[in-house]
Amino acid sequence: MQLDRASTLRDDDDTPFDVQIEDISLTGFRMQLPFEILPDQALTIGVPGVGIRPVRIVRVEGATAGCIFVQPLNPAELDTILRFDSSVVQENFNYKPGPANIVEKDGSALSEEAVGLSPPQKLAIVAGAALTIWLLIVAAISLI
C-alpha cells in the first residue's frame, strides 16, 4: 500500500535519520533516504501509529531501500498505519495555556485559587512552617 510518510530510522548507535516511507506491507516497506546504506544492515524504524520496529535492509537502489520487518506486522497494525494521520500528532504539540485541571483523590476538581499560589504566598508558607518548627524547638528546650 502506498504510504508516503516521514519516519525516523535508527542505526546500532541509536542515531536518528529522517527517511520517507513510500509504501508498506505486512512484511516490509520501501523508503527514500538521503544517505547511503548497505544491504543486510539491521536497523530500527519508528512506524507511524505503531511504534519502533526492528528491520533489515534487503535491497538498495540509489536513494531507495527495500526493508523487511524482523517480525511482520499484523493486519490490524497495518490498518492503523494506513489510517494514522501524522498531521494530528503535529497539531497536538501546539501549546495553548489554559486553566489548571487538577483533581482531588475523591474526583472533585480544585478551585483555581487552591491550585495556583503566587511566589509571595509560597514564601510565606515556607517561612511560617520554618518559624513554627523553631518555636516548637524553643518550647521543648524551655520545658527541659
Side-chain angles (χ1 to χ4, degrees):
M1 307 277 187
Q2 187 168 346
L3 188 64
D4 196 32
R5 180 102 22 96
S7 189
T8 303
L9 189 70
R10 293 182 184 269
D11 62 11
D12 291 339
D13 297 326
D14 209 29
T15 305
F17 300 98
D18 292 331
V19 297
Q20 189 77 15
I21 298 176
E22 292 182 335
D23 56 44
I24 193 164
S25 70
L26 293 174
T27 58
F29 60 96
R30 184 172 47 128
M31 66 178 168
Q32 289 287 322
L33 53 166
F35 53 88
E36 291 184 22
I37 200 164
L38 300 173
D40 292 327
Q41 199 169 355
L43 306 164
T44 59
I45 191 158
V47 182
V50 174
I52 298 172
R53 292 299 180 111
V55 299
R56 190 169 57 82
I57 307 299
V58 292
R59 73 175 177 282
V60 178
E61 297 170 2
T64 302
C67 305
I68 61 168
F69 293 110
V70 172
Q71 180 179 359
L73 300 173
N74 64 49
E77 289 173 320
L78 182 59
D79 184 54
T80 298
I81 293 166
L82 296 172
R83 288 185 300 116
F84 186 80
D85 183 4
S86 61
S87 65
V88 173
V89 172
Q90 291 173 348
E91 281 297 315
N92 287 340
F93 289 109
N94 290 336
Y95 176 73
K96 295 176 184 162
N101 189 17
I102 298 176
V103 177
E104 287 285 346
K105 288 181 182 177
D106 66 359
S108 62
L110 292 174
S111 67
E112 288 224 17
E113 295 81 29
V115 172
L117 297 174
S118 68
Q121 290 171 322
K122 292 176 185 177
L123 181 62
I125 290 170
V126 171
L131 180 61
T132 302
I133 291 171
W134 278 109
L135 289 174
L136 290 173
I137 291 171
V138 170
I141 291 174
S142 66
L143 291 175
I144 297 178

